[in-house]
């Protein structure tokens, strides 16, 4: 009969995490791989941990107290976790567990040296690596010492770092249990870490070997700089040999100590090139076994390698999922390189939403998009390889990308500079009759925009009417047809020509007026308060809501009592206050027009303002505090006057130039054109999101039915199924609960990843650079998208619902999709990490006359909340002020 408290490594594999923890399960799996040598040993199981914890006084009360602490209160967590560890270490190991451990030590060598290592059930899992959060003890001699160190490993589950990690990630302390791995000690000549993918760039074809002399603790603890070998395609392609002055060696009486390396040995490589290549070959076997890149700890003993640990590299951005792949979202997809080298561009950076999307969200976007898109890490990417391979389409792609986001263009050019990664193919011969040239130019006529807006409204109204009677599988058949109408509206030739007319006129004005007048970004002022901009209207309309609420003291008191506001009852409770009916009517009118919007609105699963109206409360209160009555109309008229004055100034200066009348006439035509069409730039997105909310309400009705039928636990579980999977669940009245749970875990892990602008099929995240020399030292470089210079207090805000802005503040955030626009009316400037010249935040910043710099890498981390900064919206950089 198997002992419940001890299992040999040969008895376990990666399916036994619940019994032996992540590290023990991985080591058991490693021991089964042909050619991989793992030091002998055994695991003290999680049953033993639970048995031992039952004897620790008073563990339950202290865990309850720990769970109530704020994860940011490090002092309180440190004090309480230290008390818990002390209680565990002072409690004797139960006799039956001690007997089982002693029996195993006799089999493996009672007087041998051992490594005693923690192995938690939430450790070294595919979506979360807990490296370094629990303890490892080396060169432990004798049964008494081994038992003492097993207790210490149990206690290490409550280190301050491990406790904070679990609390920040919503992991219940009681759901994590600690096993302990006890292995025969090896005394290596060299040791280190092997990453089977480049941990910095993500390149899956480049393996990195860190190596030093003696035990690996010297490297893990940062005591020495390691030798670093990069191995690709079976050869060392780069290496850096460090001066290794210190090493960690085992002591004869147990334990380890730091020693000086002989001066003659310090700059000798810890491994030969042949050994590094051989080690990587072993790593590839391990990677293939576990199905994803690995972080492997190794030892070199007598020219043979021993593997003492392997865990998944959880910081890598996943490879894109290719259609018809068996894997989607739940493991390391290996299909990103299907059909040769591929280059992918992020959709989220174009759409101003780089957060991960849930499966229903990204699958709906794929089904309604105009081009094929591939999911990776909960984000979507477009394969641009064919366009990069053709010289003609390559130039146009780089031009478009460069105008939108110079970092994307630079990253693509970096890939193109690599010999042979993207083969250059001849331009395809034209098929069919010869082209008749470019589409006929669109007339500068406001009626065109009026017609397009009416077309969109009519289409959405038809969708709302026709979907009402659709239920069950018939709804999904209807939606498939609706998606085709969705794409037809997006591809409307007149709409595309109107969009391009506005953008082309913007670029023409900026280029020509800089050439003729020496002034940058003149179009920013010329487009102030342009008509028909649904997104800027949305921000101004919330000022009108504030006008209604401002003179109502009981309503203001109700709104300020934010912690008691519940979305489900918010409007009803508001109406009960004095003046509340009037306030409710104003908010409902706003939601009727804009309630389909929200942060991250391209993900259909995100809660809309109509579903979560309290999101708007902080912005309304800011508007009440920072503005007076009639501010919306005043601001719009002020912008229109500035634009008109700028137009007159530009035309006057142009007429004074040689050939000035011609230049002024051309500029006048383009000014009329940009003011006619640039506002429409925002309307197609409004139409998309309006349709999405109709789709969502219908799908949620189906999800609620599945909850009533006990197919789903809660309606939001439907968000973790793709559209196709939800269709099947509705048809069959069955859903895979384990799949939903895996998707939830994967989504949580994706939130910790930063998506790259450009990703290759090798897994490399390619980062572009601005390549500028005109930015002051210490300033943060970005893309200038709205002219002007402003100095003020930086407010670093990651959640619109937590906004608390004063007049003159500068908003610093990750990205701004249209839903952020209501905040723009109350700020003095804008800085974002993501953005381009024609993305929504840039368009609205120009509309409101806000100096703005976008594409500032790591802005939310480099700029402190409350710090004074100066935004140079004309020249594209941000100064950090003392």
């Amino acid at each position: 009969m198997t002992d419940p408290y001890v299992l040999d490594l040969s008895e376990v594999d990666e399916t036994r995490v619940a019994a032996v923890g992540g590290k023990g399960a991985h080591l058991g799996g490693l021991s089964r791989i042909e050619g991989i040598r793992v030091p002998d040993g055994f695991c003290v199981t999680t049953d033993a941990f639970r048995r031992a914890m039952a004897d620790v006084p008073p563990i339950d009360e202290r865990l309850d107290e720990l769970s109530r602490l704020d994860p940011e209160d490090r002092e309180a967590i440190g004090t309480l976790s230290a008390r818990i560890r002390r209680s565990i270490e002072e409690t004797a190991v139960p006799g039956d567990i001690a007997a089982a451990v002693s029996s195993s030590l006799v089999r493996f060598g009672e007087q041998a040296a051992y490594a005693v290592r923690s192995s938690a059930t939430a450790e070294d899992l595919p979506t979360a690596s807990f490296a370094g959060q629990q303890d490892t003890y080396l060169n432990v001699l004798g049964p008494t010492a081994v038992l003492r160190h097993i207790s210490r490993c149990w206690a290490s589950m409550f280190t301050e770092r491990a406790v904070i990690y679990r609390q920040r990630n919503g992991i219940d302390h009681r759901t994590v249990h600690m096993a302990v791995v006890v292995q025969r000690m090896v005394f290596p000549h060299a040791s280190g870490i092997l990453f089977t993918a480049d941990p910095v760039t993500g390149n899956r074809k480049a393996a990195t070997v860190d190596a030093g002399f003696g035990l690996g603790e010297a490297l893990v603890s940062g005591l020495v700089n390691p030798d670093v070998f990069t191995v690709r395609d079976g050869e060392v392609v780069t290496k850096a040999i460090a001066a290794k002055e210190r090493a960690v060696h085992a002591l004869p009486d147990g334990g380890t100590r730091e020693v000086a390396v002989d001066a003659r040995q310090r700059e000798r490589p810890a491994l030969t090139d042949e050994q590094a290549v051989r080690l990587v070959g072993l790593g590839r076997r391990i990677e293939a076994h576990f199905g994803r890149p690995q972080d492997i700890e190794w030892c070199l003993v007598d020219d043979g390698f021993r593997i003492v640990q392997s865990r998944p590299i959880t910081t890598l951005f996943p490879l894109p999922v290719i259609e018809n792949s068996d894997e989607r979202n739940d493991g390391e997809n290996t299909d990103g390189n299907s059909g040769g080298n591929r280059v992918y561009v992020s959709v989220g950076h174009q759409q101003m939403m780089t957060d991960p999307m849930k499966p229903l969200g990204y699958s709906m976007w794929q089904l309604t998009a105009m081009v094929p898109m591939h999911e990776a890490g909960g984000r979507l990417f477009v394969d641009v390889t064919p366009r990069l391979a053709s010289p003609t389409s390559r130039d146009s792609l780089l031009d478009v990308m460069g105008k939108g986001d110079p970092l994307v263009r630079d990253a693509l050019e970096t890939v193109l500079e690599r010999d042979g990664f993207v083969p250059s193919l001849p331009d395809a011969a034209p098929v069919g009759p010869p082209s008749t040239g470019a589409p006929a130019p669109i007339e500068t006529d406001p009626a065109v925009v009026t017609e397009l807006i009416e077309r969109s409204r009519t289409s959405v109204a038809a969708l709302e009417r026709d979907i009402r009677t659709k239920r069950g599988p018939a709804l999904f058949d209807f939606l498939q047809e609706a998606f085709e109408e969705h794409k037809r509206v997006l591809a409307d030739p007149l709409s595309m020509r109107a969009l391009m007319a506005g953008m082309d006129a913007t670029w023409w004005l900026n280029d020509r007026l800089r050439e003729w007048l020496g002034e940058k970004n003149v179009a920013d002022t010329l487009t102030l308060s342009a008509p028909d901009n649904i997104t800027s209207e949305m921000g101004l309309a919330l000022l009108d809501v504030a006008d209604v609420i401002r003179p109502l003291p009981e309503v203001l008191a109700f709104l300020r009592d934010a912690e008691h506001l519940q979305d489900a009852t918010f409007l009803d409770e508001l109406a009960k206050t004095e003046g509340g009916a009037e306030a409710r009517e104003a908010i409902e009118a706003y939601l009727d027009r804009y309630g389909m919007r929200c942060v991250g609105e391209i993900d259909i699963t995100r809660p809309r303002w109509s579903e979560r109206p309290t999101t708007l409360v902080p912005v309304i209160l800011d508007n009440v505090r920072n503005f007076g009555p009639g501010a919306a109309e005043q601001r719009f008229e002020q912008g229109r006057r500035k634009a008109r004055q700028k137009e007159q100034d530009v035309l006057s200066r142009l007429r004074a130039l040689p050939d000035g009348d011609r230049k002024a006439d051309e500029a006048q035509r383009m000014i009329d054109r940009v003011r006619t069409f640039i506002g429409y730039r925002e309307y197609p997105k409004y139409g998309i999101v309006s349709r999405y909310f109709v789709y969502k309400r219908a799908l949620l009705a189906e999800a609620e039915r599945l909850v009533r039928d006990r197919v789903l636990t809660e309606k939001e579980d439907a968000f973790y199924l793709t559209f196709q999977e939800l269709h099947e669940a509705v048809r069959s009245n069955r859903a895979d609960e384990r799949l939903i749970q895996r998707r939830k875990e994967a989504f949580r892990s994706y939130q910790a990843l930063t998506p790259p602008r450009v990703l290759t099929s090798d897994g490399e995240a390619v980062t572009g650079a601005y390549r500028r020399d005109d930015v002051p030292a210490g300033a943060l470089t970005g893309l200038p998208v709205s002219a002007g210079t402003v100095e003020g207090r930086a407010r670093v805000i990651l959640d619109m619902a937590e906004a608390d802005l004063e007049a003159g503040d500068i908003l610093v955030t990750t990205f701004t999709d249209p839903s952020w626009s209501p905040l723009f009316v109350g700020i003095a400037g804008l800085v974002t990490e993501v953005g381009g010249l024609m993305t929504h935040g840039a368009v609205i910043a120009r509309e409101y006359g806000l100096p703005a710099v976008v594409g500032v890498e790591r802005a939310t981390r480099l700029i402190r909340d409350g710090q004074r900064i100066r935004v140079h919206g004309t020249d594209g950089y941000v100064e950090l002020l003392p």
Side-chain angles (χ1 to χ4, degrees):
M1 180 176 173
T2 302
D3 191 300
Y5 298 139
V6 172
L7 291 171
D8 285 2
L9 284 176
S10 61
E11 297 179 90
V12 301
D13 60 19
E14 51 269 34
T15 66
R16 303 296 302 277
V17 171
V20 297
K23 188 179 286 118
H26 264 67
L27 285 169
L30 284 166
S31 67
R32 295 164 182 257
I33 305 172
E34 185 178 353
I36 302 300
R37 301 175 68 183
V38 176
D40 292 336
F42 59 91
C43 298
V44 182
T45 66
T46 53
D47 282 343
F49 173 76
R50 283 186 284 269
R51 166 78 176 83
M53 289 303 100
D55 290 350
V56 177
I59 190 68
D60 285 333
E61 292 86 341
R62 288 180 177 171
L63 288 180
D64 289 339
E65 186 180 351
L66 192 63
S67 66
R68 291 192 293 268
L69 293 178
D70 184 333
E72 305 307 317
D73 190 350
R74 298 183 69 100
E75 182 177 353
I77 288 175
T79 300
L80 183 54
S81 60
R83 286 166 55 200
I84 294 172
R85 290 196 305 275
R86 190 161 53 249
S87 296
I88 294 171
E89 291 181 22
E90 290 173 353
T91 301
V93 175
D96 45 357
I97 298 174
V101 169
S102 297
S103 176
S104 292
L105 290 174
V106 169
R107 286 188 295 109
F108 287 107
E110 192 172 19
Q111 299 307 313
Y114 288 89
V116 182
R117 315 172 80 183
S118 64
S119 179
T121 53
E123 182 179 15
D124 296 349
L125 302 182
T127 57
S129 177
F130 288 59
Q133 290 183 23
Q134 285 92 34
D135 288 345
T136 291
Y137 301 97
L138 300 179
N139 199 32
V140 179
L141 300 177
T144 301
V146 168
L147 289 170
R148 184 170 66 252
H149 285 89
I150 288 172
S151 286
R152 289 182 177 176
C153 284
W154 288 336
S156 74
M157 199 180 86
F158 297 99
T159 62
E160 180 181 331
R161 181 183 171 196
V163 167
I164 289 173
Y165 182 93
R166 289 196 294 271
Q167 297 207 174
R168 283 180 177 168
N169 287 275
I171 300 171
D172 187 340
H173 301 297
R174 285 185 171 84
T175 65
V176 181
H177 301 108
M178 180 70 76
V180 180
V181 176
V182 181
Q183 284 178 284
R184 285 286 298 260
M185 188 73 186
V186 293
F187 302 98
H189 160 71
S191 58
I193 301 167
L194 161 64
F195 297 97
T196 63
D198 189 310
V200 177
T201 69
N203 193 317
R204 305 311 200 263
K205 291 186 176 179
T208 301
V209 178
D210 291 359
F213 294 126
L215 294 169
E217 295 307 296
L219 267 64
V220 173
S221 65
L223 180 64
V224 297
N225 290 324
D227 297 341
V228 180
F229 301 80
T230 301
V231 177
R232 185 181 177 115
D233 297 329
E235 63 177 330
V236 175
V237 292
T238 66
K239 62 181 173 182
I241 307 304
K244 299 169 287 296
E245 298 182 359
R246 314 293 292 176
V248 173
H249 286 180
L251 291 171
D253 296 327
T256 62
R257 73 171 179 180
E258 178 188 324
V259 298
V261 175
D262 187 297
R264 294 167 296 180
Q265 299 288 323
R266 290 176 182 172
E267 297 192 17
R268 289 186 57 185
L271 294 178
T272 66
D273 286 7
E274 182 276 330
Q275 288 170 330
V277 170
R278 180 153 46 96
L279 175 61
V280 169
L282 297 176
R284 294 295 181 210
R285 287 191 197 178
I286 295 170
E287 179 183 69
H289 176 82
F290 289 117
R292 62 185 66 242
Q294 297 287 301
D295 165 358
I296 299 166
E297 294 182 23
W298 55 269
C299 296
L300 178 65
V301 183
D302 298 329
D303 199 40
F305 288 103
R306 306 289 192 277
I307 304 301
V308 295
Q309 185 165 324
S310 183
R311 64 172 72 91
I313 308 175
T314 59
T315 56
L316 298 177
F317 200 84
L319 297 175
V321 173
I322 306 302
E323 282 71 21
N324 302 318
S325 165
D326 290 336
E327 283 294 327
R328 177 184 292 280
N329 212 31
D330 306 316
E332 173 70 9
N333 170 59
T334 57
D335 292 332
N337 205 18
S338 176
N341 295 332
R342 317 301 297 177
V343 183
Y344 302 94
V345 170
S346 164
V347 173
H349 284 81
Q350 314 303 313
Q351 290 292 333
M352 296 299 95
M353 215 294 274
T354 54
D355 292 345
M357 300 168 73
K358 296 184 178 77
L360 184 61
Y362 66 67
S363 64
M364 292 281 284
W365 194 261
Q366 286 172 311
L367 288 166
T368 54
M370 302 303 296
V371 296
M373 294 180 179
H374 310 281
E375 181 268 333
R379 283 80 168 186
L380 290 172
F381 292 82
V382 173
D383 183 354
V384 297
T385 316
R387 295 188 65 185
L388 288 176
S390 165
T392 301
S393 61
R394 178 191 310 147
D395 291 343
S396 63
L397 176 68
L398 292 175
D399 182 56
V400 170
M401 291 296 175
K403 285 178 177 176
D405 186 344
L407 294 178
V408 174
R409 174 172 184 149
D410 190 77
L412 291 173
E413 289 176 333
T414 299
V415 175
L416 288 169
E417 288 169 2
R418 298 173 182 168
D419 287 344
F421 190 87
V422 178
S424 185
L425 303 175
D427 291 326
V431 177
S435 170
T436 57
I442 190 171
E443 292 294 324
T444 303
D445 182 359
V448 171
V449 174
T450 302
E451 178 187 347
L452 287 168
I453 291 173
E454 185 55 35
R455 285 186 192 179
S456 178
R457 288 174 178 165
T458 301
S459 177
V460 173
L463 173 66
E464 290 177 325
R465 181 189 66 240
D466 296 343
I467 205 170
R468 287 176 191 149
T469 58
K470 304 301 186 291
R471 302 286 186 276
L475 169 66
F476 289 83
D477 294 337
F478 171 80
L479 286 174
Q480 294 282 11
E481 296 175 6
F483 296 162
E484 294 308 309
E485 167 66 6
H486 184 123
K487 289 190 278 190
R488 187 199 65 75
V489 171
L490 283 181
D492 183 337
L494 184 62
S495 177
M496 300 300 292
R497 288 160 63 198
L499 290 171
M500 289 309 302
M503 290 191 285
D504 286 342
T506 300
W507 292 326
W508 188 97
L509 286 165
N510 282 337
D511 291 345
R512 292 293 189 279
L513 297 182
R514 184 169 186 178
E515 175 189 345
W516 293 340
L517 300 177
E519 188 173 347
K520 296 179 182 177
N521 303 328
V522 180
D524 294 358
T525 307
L526 293 170
T527 54
L528 289 172
S529 297
D532 300 314
N533 189 317
I534 188 72
T535 307
S536 64
E537 290 169 5
M538 178 173 68
L540 295 174
L542 208 57
L543 287 173
D544 292 334
V545 174
D547 285 353
V548 173
I549 290 172
R550 190 178 290 106
L552 303 173
E554 287 202 18
V555 169
L556 286 171
F558 173 82
L559 295 180
R560 286 172 181 144
D561 194 13
E563 31 183 79
H564 298 298
L565 301 181
Q566 300 294 322
D567 288 296
T569 59
F570 167 62
L571 292 172
D572 290 337
E573 293 299 316
L574 172 64
K576 296 175 183 177
T577 64
E578 185 176 344
E582 186 181 358
R584 172 178 174 161
E585 183 180 344
I587 293 173
E588 284 184 330
Y590 185 86
L591 292 174
D592 285 345
R593 185 153 171 78
Y594 305 110
M596 75 294 291
R597 311 217 80 149
C598 67
V599 174
E601 60 192 12
I602 69 170
D603 182 354
I604 198 173
T605 71
R606 290 289 190 103
R608 311 284 138 174
W609 290 343
S610 286
E611 298 169 311
R612 195 170 288 177
T614 58
T615 303
L616 296 172
V617 169
V619 190
I620 294 172
L621 291 174
D622 282 348
N623 288 348
V624 167
R625 182 174 64 247
N626 296 330
F627 296 94
E633 184 177 354
Q634 292 165 18
R635 284 178 66 94
F636 188 80
E637 286 303 318
Q638 182 183 37
R640 189 152 55 182
R641 281 196 306 273
K642 283 184 178 179
R644 181 63 181 160
Q645 289 166 0
K646 190 65 178 179
E647 177 182 343
Q648 293 170 347
D649 171 65
V650 163
L651 296 177
S652 173
R653 289 159 62 194
L654 286 174
R655 288 193 179 96
L657 298 176
D659 198 18
D661 288 343
R662 178 189 63 81
K663 292 174 179 174
D665 288 345
E666 289 183 14
Q668 179 70 75
R669 284 196 298 273
M670 285 300 177
I671 292 170
D672 292 344
R673 197 165 179 79
V674 80
R675 290 194 64 80
T676 297
F677 292 115
I678 199 63
Y680 179 69
R681 167 73 180 81
E682 292 295 299
Y683 205 89
K685 183 73 169 285
Y686 177 79
I688 291 171
V689 176
S690 297
R691 297 180 71 88
Y692 262 38
F693 195 31
V694 178
Y695 304 153
K696 180 179 186 179
R697 286 179 294 194
L699 291 172
L700 278 178
E702 292 301 310
E704 288 167 353
R705 183 186 64 75
L706 291 175
V707 172
R708 290 194 298 272
D709 290 349
R710 299 186 179 181
V711 176
L712 298 178
T713 304
E714 54 187 11
K715 65 182 180 181
E716 289 79 9
D717 284 352
F719 297 161
Y720 295 93
L721 299 173
T722 65
F723 177 83
Q724 299 86 342
E725 290 164 348
L726 182 57
H727 184 183
E728 178 59 22
V730 168
R731 188 196 64 77
S732 65
N733 225 36
R734 290 196 302 271
D736 187 339
E737 288 186 20
R738 290 177 298 177
L739 173 64
I740 291 170
Q741 188 57 40
R742 289 201 304 273
R743 294 275 176 78
K744 289 180 178 181
E745 292 169 0
F747 180 76
R748 280 195 293 269
S749 74
Y750 294 156
Q751 290 176 306
L753 300 177
T754 300
R757 284 174 166 82
V758 172
L759 182 66
T760 74
S761 50
D762 287 349
E764 182 177 2
V766 187
T767 304
Y770 283 106
R771 319 282 179 192
R772 291 172 54 184
D773 56 9
D774 60 342
V775 175
L780 308 180
T781 306
L783 179 66
V785 296
S786 186
T789 300
V790 65
E791 180 179 318
R793 179 180 69 155
R795 293 308 317 274
V796 180
I797 297 173
L798 302 181
D799 183 349
M800 178 180 160
E802 296 176 1
D804 181 14
L805 295 164
E806 300 286 349
D809 283 349
I810 297 169
L811 174 63
V812 180
T813 189
T814 311
F815 58 81
T816 56
D817 62 9
S819 69
W820 285 77
S821 300
L823 291 183
F824 283 24
V825 298
I827 60 176
L830 174 69
V831 178
T832 68
E833 295 179 342
V834 176
L837 188 63
M838 284 297 170
T839 50
H840 300 280
V843 171
I844 304 306
R846 290 194 291 273
E847 173 81 12
Y848 287 164
L850 302 175
V853 179
V854 302
V856 180
E857 293 282 270
R858 301 175 61 238
T860 59
R861 282 169 277 183
L862 296 174
I863 299 172
R864 299 189 315 276
D865 185 43
Q867 181 176 14
R868 290 196 67 78
I869 62 175
R870 186 179 296 123
V871 178
H872 294 263
T874 305
D875 295 312
Y877 61 90
V878 180
E879 289 184 279
L880 309 182
L881 303 178

